[in-house]
Amino acid sequence: MDVSVEPVSSLCFKSGMEDMIYVSSGKEIKCFDVRLAAAQWKPLENYNYNKEEINKVVCNSKSSFLAAADDNGEVKIIDIHQQCLYKTLRAGHTSICSTVEFLPWRSWEVISGGLDSMLMLWDFSKGRPYKVVDFATFDVSSGIAGRCVNPAFVHAIAIPEVDMLDKLDKICAVARGDGAIDVINIETEMAATKSKSSSNSRKGSHSRSKDGSSSSNTDADQNGKKRLHLDYTLGGHTAAVSSLAFSLFGERGKFLISGGNDKLVKVWNLSCYPDAGLSDDNNNNILHLNIEVPRKVNWLCTTSADTDNLVVCDTSKVVKVYSIT
């Protein structure tokens, strides 16, 4: 399928209609029906709303909207039914917007991450962010020591599927350029923005809980939930984390799987999260498996099979398949 003369940067399936795919190339998004194989592939839809190169395109669960994150720091929300631009999310990121995801439990909200070390929650019906997490300033104020020299750029975000929420709660996992992974309870973060005073008190509690107690790698919020910080002290990555995925095999969502520029894939056991009673023992056991791969990891995903259920794409020309139990 010749999509474009420019590199293909991202693709996604149309939710509920998996014969349809959306492909981003340069500043453009095209839609194809893979059943219509022909010598000349003709796009069914074509969108040219992004001003800079697109890094990630994603479709929401109702197949009503696309979100496209670009190098200009913007996210374009496209109405699939009307085949037009719905909203531009701007004035948030100050650098490249590297990734974006819809929140399946909130119809009008997306979460984006960028190379400004920012994670932003947006109500795209209003076009503005209502929650911003700055990992650079958070780490400085919280006293997290010993991270690698790379900035805490946000490279990827993983959101659990709806059927995983009962076990995992409404969380997101964030892959960072400094080798750390943050697991954040989105609903709790949103609740913390309702009151400026409560937000300020949370920041104060962050500093107090982290100073001198970084071995726990957890950060209690006002509702007793935990913001989990998975870094090298727990056997985590020593270079940028490039990809994240929740496991689709076995007990869905039990594992969070990460890949990085340190040529490692790590399988994290989240079965104890987000219980408020996380202990140091749980933290020490949270790294379930460590897999060495030949090259830096670009992307990974899981399948629902009992074996051959982890697929890893690295900087070589060979796709690797592993079995996780």
Side-chain angles (χ1 to χ4, degrees):
M1 181 190 297
D2 285 329
V3 174
S4 171
V5 295
E6 300 212 30
V8 174
S9 57
S10 178
L11 61 81
C12 66
F13 291 99
K14 187 172 185 177
S15 304
M17 299 177 64
E18 277 72 20
D19 290 314
M20 312 282 287
I21 60 170
Y22 290 95
V23 182
S24 66
S25 178
K27 306 173 186 178
E28 189 174 26
I29 300 172
K30 296 179 181 179
C31 177
F32 296 92
D33 187 332
V34 298
R35 296 168 296 182
L36 303 178
Q40 291 285 336
W41 286 85
K42 293 184 179 180
L44 304 178
E45 303 166 27
N46 200 318
Y47 304 108
N48 287 278
Y49 298 119
N50 294 79
K51 296 179 181 178
E52 298 293 340
E53 183 173 340
I54 297 168
N55 297 307
K56 180 75 180 289
V57 62
V58 64
C59 181
N60 73 338
S61 60
K62 296 181 179 179
S63 296
S64 52
F65 291 102
L66 291 173
D70 64 29
D71 279 357
N72 204 38
E74 297 180 349
V75 176
K76 300 291 184 180
I77 304 295
I78 298 167
D79 187 323
I80 295 175
H81 295 157
Q82 300 297 322
Q83 296 191 16
C84 65
L85 180 66
Y86 177 79
K87 195 78 72 175
T88 297
L89 309 183
R90 61 164 62 96
H93 292 288
T94 58
S95 185
I96 291 170
C97 185
S98 52
T99 187
V100 64
E101 296 286 347
F102 286 96
L103 298 183
W105 59 87
R106 287 181 172 264
S107 301
W108 296 95
E109 294 176 13
V110 297
I111 186 167
S112 65
L115 303 193
D116 51 4
S117 301
M118 298 280 192
L119 185 75
M120 297 192 174
L121 287 159
W122 303 79
D123 180 338
F124 64 81
S125 66
K126 299 177 180 178
R128 60 175 181 266
Y130 60 85
K131 175 66 181 180
V132 178
V133 179
D134 185 345
F135 289 112
T137 59
F138 174 78
D139 285 357
V140 171
S141 63
S142 301
I144 297 176
R147 74 181 191 190
C148 72
V149 296
N150 291 337
F153 295 161
V154 177
H155 290 302
I157 300 168
I159 303 291
E161 296 184 9
V162 173
D163 64 346
M164 302 177 184
L165 297 181
D166 287 343
K167 293 184 177 68
L168 290 177
D169 214 341
K170 296 170 181 176
I171 64 173
C172 76
V174 183
R176 298 173 23 167
D178 59 357
I181 300 166
D182 277 298
V183 181
I184 296 173
N185 187 295
I186 293 176
E187 297 299 306
T188 301
E189 295 287 339
M190 288 166 47
T193 66
K194 291 181 179 179
S195 168
K196 188 174 181 179
S197 61
S198 67
S199 178
N200 289 337
S201 68
R202 275 183 73 254
K203 291 179 181 178
S205 66
H206 283 166
S207 297
R208 289 190 298 272
S209 64
K210 285 292 182 181
D211 290 340
S213 60
S214 60
S215 61
S216 70
N217 289 79
T218 57
D219 190 11
D221 60 40
Q222 62 185 11
N223 293 329
K225 302 290 186 181
K226 299 284 186 177
R227 179 187 282 186
L228 192 59
H229 184 74
L230 306 175
D231 62 8
Y232 76 100
T233 64
L234 300 178
H237 294 279
T238 56
V241 184
S242 53
S243 184
L244 288 171
F246 288 100
S247 58
L248 299 179
F249 52 83
E251 183 183 337
R252 289 165 59 88
K254 178 179 180 179
F255 298 114
L256 175 67
I257 303 175
S258 62
N261 289 351
D262 52 2
K263 305 178 185 179
L264 293 171
V265 172
K266 295 182 181 288
V267 181
W268 305 91
N269 186 348
L270 296 185
S271 58
C272 59
Y273 182 84
D275 296 338
L278 271 173
S279 67
D280 288 348
D281 290 339
N282 285 332
N283 281 332
N284 292 334
N285 295 328
I286 197 168
L287 182 60
H288 175 73
L289 188 62
N290 195 56
I291 303 171
E292 295 184 9
V293 294
R295 303 284 189 91
K296 295 179 180 179
V297 176
N298 285 326
W299 205 254
L300 56 78
C301 66
T302 65
T303 74
S304 57
D306 292 333
T307 60
D308 298 336
N309 46 25
L310 171 63
V311 184
V312 178
C313 297
D314 58 24
T315 55
S316 74
K317 299 177 182 179
V318 181
V319 176
K320 283 82 174 174
V321 182
Y322 299 89
S323 294
I324 306 296
T325 58

